[in-house]
Structure formats: C-alpha cells, structure tokens
C-alpha cells in the first residue's frame, strides 16, 4: 500500500500550526482508515528559519504523535526552498507527496479528491481555487494580470493554482532534477509533462497570524517567475533601443529640414527631455540586463539551496 507524506512549509506559524496539524492528521487518518494509504503515512513540517515558537511546536507534536516529523533550516531560505527540501526528504520513503501551506487556507479536505485523481492515473494533481472572493480587489486584479502576462510571454501556468498539489514519487524525482537556484516551482511543474488533472476547492480566510506574502514579496515573486522563464524583458529592451534609434534618425532629418527652411527654434526643452527620457531608458535597460546577469551568477556559483540544521522523526528505509 502506498505511503503518503504531506509536506508543510512553515515560517513563523506558531499561531496556526497546532490546529493545522490536528486538521491534517484527521484528513490523513480518514484516508488510512479507507485503506487508500499505508498507516505509516506522515506529515513533514519544514521550519523555514522561524524566529517564533514554530520549531518547539513541531517537537511537541512529534512527541504526541510520531507521524509528525520536522526539518529545521539554519535560517530563512524562502518558501520555494522549503518545498524543495520537504519533497527531497519525503520521497526517500513516500510514494505520494502533497504540499500545502501551514495556514490551511487551501482546503485539506480536497486531498481525498486529489488521491482519487491519482488513482485514476494522474501523476500530478493541481489544487485550483474556484473563486477569489476572499481576496482584496487589488490582489484579484494583480493576480489576473500576472497570469495573463506570463501566459502571453510563453510561461505556462495553471491559473489560480499556488503550491497546493499532489505529486507521485516519479514526478517529484523529475522535478528535483531541475537544479536552478532561482526557483519558481509552479512554473517548473508543468514542464514535467506527466498526466495531470485539477481539483477545485474554495479557499478559506486565514485562521490567525499574518500573511507571509505581503505586497513586496508578491511583486518579487512575480518578477522571479518572469525572469526565470522568459527573456521577453531583454527583447523588449532591444525593441526600445531600435525605436529610440529610429526616432533619433527621424529627429536628425527633421533638424536638417528646419535648418534648410529657416524654421530653427532656439531652446533647450526638447534637448533636456530627450536626455532625461533616453537616460531613464538606459538605466532601466541596464537594470533588467543586470537582473539576468545576477541570476546567471547565482546559478554558476552552485551554492546550496538551503542548510538543514535539525531533523526530527525522520526514519529512512534501509
């Protein structure tokens, strides 16, 4: 019988973690009692360098129930790295991996539906929100624009899907073969190519605590997704450069004609505007190109994605 591991990245989640653990255990117990999974199925919580009581709670939960296991990072390495670390550890013994955030805004009851899709032949089952009514107008609008822009630029994403998904062991193993340090997992998984399906659910409000993805992090995440999967910004710079050159040529001939017909107007406004506009374009262009060079530098250095400080409850088969 297959073993299921639910991977839960957690960063400063002391307020919600105890309730989340109880809920996930209840869901997993139901699946075990239905003989869908082996009784050794567990929950792996990855503490992404929390500064609150998250790790102590993981230890307490492990003492109460050995099916609760944990990994502690030496510092905060980010949500995507926490997912990779959890999946790397999970497939050492698990046949199926489900990833879900600790706040359980994603409906854990959908895991049963995901399992049935897996049994019907899907290696990857995406959890997809059926509405965004719990989001603010700004977040709904910006999220919609994010998906549209990336799809236009050739980055295939599952709309309204975040990081709530089920993956078979072989799907996770293929994902882990992607070695880039600039992670955008929701863009990487569609590249795997195995049979996939979707399960729709209603997203709930956060039980307690604060969102770990404020506007600044959301914008940074969107930019990482764009620059990791598309060179469109660099091509846009090329087109701007060509356009600026054409405008410069047109301005050159215009100045000759005005001089020839005696319509020359002395002034500095047009000159200053041109300097500021072109100067701004150059700075933006250098910034975008520098972003790509920075990512290349990070990849070439081959530094570890994360450092694990402690583990608890993980027992691997010999």
């Amino acid at each position: 019988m297959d073993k299921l591991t639910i991977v839960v990245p957690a960063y400063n989640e002391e307020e919600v973690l105890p309730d989340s653990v109880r809920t996930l255990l209840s869901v997993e117990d139901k699946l075990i009692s239905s003989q869908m999974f082996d009784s050794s199925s567990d929950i792996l919580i990855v503490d992404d360098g929390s500064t609150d009581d998250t790790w102590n709670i993981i230890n307490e939960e492990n003492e109460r129930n050995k099916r609760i296991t944990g990994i502690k990072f030496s510092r905060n390495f980010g949500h995507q790295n926490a997912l990779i670390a959890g999946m790397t550890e999970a497939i050492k013994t698990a046949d199926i991996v489900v990833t879900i955030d600790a706040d359980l805004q994603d409906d854990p009851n959908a895991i049963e539906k995901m399992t049935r899709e897996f049994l019907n032949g899907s290696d990857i089952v995406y959890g997809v929100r059926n509405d965004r009514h719990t989001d603010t107008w700004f977040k709904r609008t910006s999220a919609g624009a994010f998906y549209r822009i990336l799809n236009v630029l050739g980055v295939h994403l599952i709309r309204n899907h975040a990081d709530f998904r089920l993956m078979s062991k072989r799907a996770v193993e293929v994902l882990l073969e992607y070695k880039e340090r600039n992670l955008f997992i929701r863009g990487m998984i569609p590249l795997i190519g195995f049979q996939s399906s979707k399960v729709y659910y209603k997203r709930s409000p956060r039980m307690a605590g604060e969102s770990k993805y404020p506007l600044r992090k959301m914008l940074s995440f969107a930019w990482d997704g764009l620059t990791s999967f598309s060179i469109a910004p660099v091509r846009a710079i090329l087109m701007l450069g060509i356009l600026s050159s054409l405008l410069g040529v047109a301005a050159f001939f215009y100045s000759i004609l005005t001089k020839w017909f005696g319509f020359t107007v002395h002034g500095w406004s047009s000159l200053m505007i041109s300097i500021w506009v072109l100067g701004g374009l150059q700075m933006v262009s250098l910034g975008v190109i520098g972003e790509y060079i920075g990512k290349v530098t990070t990849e070439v250095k081959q530094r570890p994605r994360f450092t694990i400080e402690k583990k608890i409850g993980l027992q691997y088969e010999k």
Side-chain angles (χ1 to χ4, degrees):
M1 193 174 294
D2 291 333
K3 176 186 175 182
L4 166 69
T5 295
I6 300 176
V7 174
V8 185
Y11 176 64
N12 290 344
E13 296 288 6
E14 63 178 4
E15 295 180 81
V16 300
L17 199 54
D19 289 334
S20 298
V21 167
R22 284 192 290 271
T23 300
L24 291 173
L25 275 175
S26 175
V27 169
E28 206 168 63
D29 287 340
K30 182 180 177 181
L31 295 172
I32 292 172
S33 63
S34 301
Q35 296 186 343
M36 299 178 75
F37 293 111
D38 189 80
S39 59
S40 63
S41 296
D42 56 7
I43 299 169
L44 172 58
I45 306 171
V46 183
D47 180 1
D48 184 20
S50 300
T51 56
D52 63 359
D53 215 30
T54 295
W55 181 246
N56 291 331
I57 292 173
I58 296 171
N59 277 271
E60 292 169 2
E61 295 293 342
N62 173 259
E63 291 176 2
R64 281 192 283 267
N65 191 325
K66 296 304 179 184
R67 282 168 49 205
I68 305 300
T69 62
I71 295 172
K72 178 178 173 58
F73 282 174
S74 60
R75 62 172 177 82
N76 178 240
F77 284 91
H79 181 268
Q80 302 290 282
N81 282 312
L83 287 172
I84 290 293
M87 288 188 283
T88 301
E89 294 291 334
I91 61 167
K92 292 177 180 178
T93 58
D95 303 291
I96 301 169
V97 176
V98 170
T99 58
I100 188 170
D101 288 343
D103 57 19
L104 294 193
Q105 286 187 270
D106 300 316
D107 184 7
N109 293 307
I111 294 175
E112 183 176 354
K113 297 179 183 177
M114 291 178 168
T115 301
R116 298 191 186 282
E117 291 293 329
F118 168 77
L119 295 175
N120 288 332
S122 295
D123 280 280
I124 303 169
V125 185
Y126 299 100
V128 181
R129 298 174 61 174
N130 58 11
D131 65 71
R132 302 190 72 99
H133 292 153
T134 57
D135 289 346
T136 62
W137 174 87
F138 175 78
K139 190 168 184 179
R140 287 197 302 270
T141 304
S142 59
F146 170 70
Y147 287 111
R148 285 193 296 271
I149 291 171
L150 286 187
N151 282 328
V152 167
L153 296 178
V155 183
H156 178 62
L157 294 179
I158 305 300
R159 189 178 179 85
N160 291 329
H161 163 71
D163 290 300
F164 180 32
R165 65 181 72 89
L166 177 150
M167 299 179 70
S168 67
K169 181 172 183 175
R170 70 168 183 167
V172 174
E173 288 173 339
V174 173
L175 173 65
L176 295 178
E177 291 178 5
Y178 291 76
K179 300 299 184 181
E180 58 255 45
R181 269 59 184 164
N182 301 293
L183 293 172
F184 187 62
I185 295 176
R186 68 184 71 175
M188 294 163 62
I189 289 179
L191 299 178
I192 293 174
F194 291 140
Q195 181 174 333
S196 64
S197 57
K198 302 174 185 176
V199 166
Y200 294 89
Y201 66 93
K202 183 177 181 179
R203 189 173 172 87
S204 304
R206 187 178 176 87
M207 291 185 294
E210 297 179 354
S211 171
K212 303 307 181 292
Y213 265 90
L215 178 60
R216 177 181 59 81
K217 281 193 174 183
M218 287 173 58
L219 292 174
S220 176
F221 185 66
W223 179 250
D224 284 342
L226 175 59
T227 55
S228 295
F229 282 84
S230 175
I231 61 170
V234 176
R235 288 178 176 170
I237 290 172
L238 174 62
M239 298 307 297
L240 281 173
I242 294 173
L243 178 61
S244 297
S245 298
L246 293 175
L247 289 174
V249 172
F252 172 73
F253 285 110
Y254 174 77
S255 64
I256 292 176
L257 289 174
T258 55
K259 179 68 173 178
W260 180 269
F261 290 105
F263 297 130
T264 305
V265 178
H266 297 283
W268 57 272
S269 299
S270 58
L271 177 62
M272 294 303 295
I273 291 171
S274 299
I275 290 174
W276 281 102
V277 170
L278 292 177
L281 286 174
Q282 288 174 344
M283 293 180 69
V284 170
S285 301
L286 288 173
V288 173
I289 295 170
E291 181 76 16
Y292 279 92
I293 293 173
K295 288 183 179 296
V296 171
T297 302
T298 300
E299 297 294 339
V300 169
K301 288 179 179 178
Q302 291 287 300
R303 289 175 178 172
R305 289 170 169 167
F306 49 81
T307 302
I308 296 176
E309 181 180 339
K310 297 177 183 177
K311 299 180 182 180
I312 184 170
L314 295 172
Q315 298 178 353
Y316 305 131
E317 296 177 349
K318 300 292 185 181

